Amino acid sequence: MLSLGFMAVVFGYLADSKTWMRVALLVAAIPIAILANGVRVAAAGWLPSLEAGTPHLIAGWFLFVACMATLILVRQLFNKAYVNYR
């Protein structure tokens, strides 16, 4: 959760100048990280080879990239909602 939160702050800083967007991305990173970790634990229960070692590491990187893609999608949705609200 810490690494995704940090990346959300960095992404918000680089991609947007609005403070509310930076905070919103940080807040959105929390449930995204929890959901991704749940998926990872469930996958490890389903496929015991994902519990440790290289497959565990690869699954972690894959889910982190998926979480970053989700943050990008969330930013786009927030921007569309903001533009439509104004």
Side-chain angles (χ1 to χ4, degrees), residues 8-59:
V9 170
V10 170
F11 176 62
Y13 182 76
L14 294 175
D16 219 315
S17 63
K18 299 177 219 69
T19 303
W20 70 267
M21 178 65 79
R22 295 174 185 170
V23 173
L25 287 174
L26 178 60
V27 170
I30 295 168
I32 292 170
I34 291 171
L35 181 66
N37 195 39
V39 168
R40 187 174 175 179
V41 168
W46 188 52
L47 295 170
S49 64
L50 291 177
E51 288 179 4
T54 304
H56 181 78
L57 186 66
I58 292 171

Side-chain angles (χ1 to χ4, degrees), residues 58-79:
I58 292 171
W61 277 102
F62 176 74
L63 280 175
F64 188 77
V65 170
C67 288
M68 284 302 299
T70 305
L71 275 177
I72 292 169
L73 178 66
V74 165
R75 180 186 170 270
Q76 290 174 345
L77 291 174
F78 283 160
N79 269 340

